[in-house]
Amino acid sequence: DSGVTQTPKHLITATGQRVTLRCSPRSGDLSVYWYQQSLDQGLQFLIQYYNGEERAKGNILERFSAQQFPDLHSELNLSSLELGDSALYFCASSELGQHEAFFGQGTRLTVV
Amino acid sequence: GIQVEQSPPDLILQEGANSTLRCNFSDSVNNLQWFHQNPWGQLINLFYIPSGTKQNGRLSATTVATERYSLLYISSSQTTDSGVYFCAARRGDRGSTLGRLYFGRGTQLTVWP
């Protein structure tokens, strides 16, 4: 168990819908990262939050947004979903930016 | 960003065999991690190894940061070793709050009984 908790584990939804993925980092970790893993793109960095503030952005679509709350848990919001958004979404956390990162079990999103 | 290349892309072994997986990276990195993604999709930390050599049971890893590569050794393979092995690198100052990982495409390992 990595200590990073993601919910839900599986999500099936229709095109055009909106979903929220939730992540609780390891106790004491201030950094939260979101990654998307699809078959053709591999593991892609989406966004990083550090202690409640957005710290870095990667290949995140405008239809996607995230935030980190005062208790350090994070949510990734995906809207106007398309078939191509089907993927495994991972949350990771680390104490600081340069420390070892630990990953949650992932949320498998299927858009039908 | 950092380019991370892993080889070989696929590896098929008989149980009991040894193997070496390689990870090359394009730029100076401060940190490197190896992960195992099991058939259920979980990413499991194997090594956090910015430099030097570490061992954990049948697995060991070596990173030569000055030459921009890392190696993962698996000895006496077991069927439970099957899955995808990823290396991931990050750069930046040690005190930096930035920490995104750049992933390679992985090595798909299949171990047959």
Side-chain angles (χ1 to χ4, degrees):
Chain A
D1 182 6
S2 68
V4 180
T5 304
Q6 286 188 250
T7 57
K9 287 189 180 142
H10 301 276
L11 201 48
I12 301 175
T13 190
T15 54
Q17 295 299 303
R18 173 189 169 95
V19 297
T20 297
L21 313 183
R22 184 188 167 100
C23 169
S24 293
R26 293 189 319 152
S27 177
D29 284 357
L30 298 177
S31 275
V32 169
Y33 313 81
W34 288 96
Y35 291 85
Q36 178 194 58
Q37 185 179 30
S38 57
L39 281 174
D40 55 343
Q41 293 293 322
L43 274 152
Q44 297 287 315
F45 168 72
L46 296 178
I47 197 164
Q48 178 198 355
Y49 279 82
Y50 177 78
N51 203 20
E53 300 290 326
E54 182 184 302
R55 191 65 185 89
K57 255 185 178 177
N59 302 320
I60 188 166
L61 299 172
E62 285 191 12
R63 300 183 285 108
F64 297 179
S65 64
Q67 57 186 124
Q68 187 179 27
F69 295 87
D71 66 352
L72 300 178
H73 91 270
S74 178
E75 292 181 356
L76 179 67
N77 300 296
L78 315 175
S79 61
S80 303
L81 285 167
E82 302 175 359
L83 296 177
D85 297 326
S86 296
L88 193 49
Y89 291 85
F90 284 105
C91 168
S93 75
S94 67
E95 186 177 341
L96 285 175
Q98 294 304 304
H99 291 194
E100 186 174 5
F102 292 86
F103 282 72
Q105 290 186 310
T107 294
R108 190 172 298 276
L109 173 67
T110 304
V111 182
V112 298
Chain B
I2 304 170
Q3 305 299 315
V4 179
E5 293 183 1
Q6 292 187 243
S7 60
D10 297 279
L11 192 55
I12 300 174
L13 300 173
Q14 192 94 35
E15 213 170 20
N18 302 328
S19 60
T20 300
L21 282 57
R22 186 176 181 102
C23 171
N24 292 331
F25 37 92
S26 63
D27 203 349
S28 300
V29 301
N30 281 343
N31 294 296
L32 187 122
Q33 290 187 241
W34 283 96
F35 298 90
H36 174 217
Q37 187 167 37
N38 64 22
W40 295 271
Q42 284 181 280
L43 276 172
I44 298 163
N45 287 40
L46 295 178
F47 293 100
Y48 171 67
I49 185 165
S51 63
T53 298
K54 288 187 178 179
Q55 179 145 15
N56 184 5
R58 296 180 297 103
L59 273 60
S60 65
T62 295
T63 297
V64 185
T66 52
E67 296 187 23
R68 301 183 185 171
Y69 74 88
S70 184
L71 302 173
L72 177 68
Y73 306 95
I74 305 174
S75 64
S76 305
S77 299
Q78 300 177 357
T79 55
T80 52
D81 295 331
S82 295
V84 184
Y85 289 79
F86 290 101
C87 77
R90 63 159 61 111
R91 62 181 177 196
D93 295 333
R94 291 197 67 79
S96 173
T97 55
L98 284 170
R100 67 164 291 180
L101 286 166
Y102 294 85
F103 280 84
R105 299 287 292 188
T107 292
Q108 173 77 56
L109 175 65
T110 304
V111 181
W112 293 98

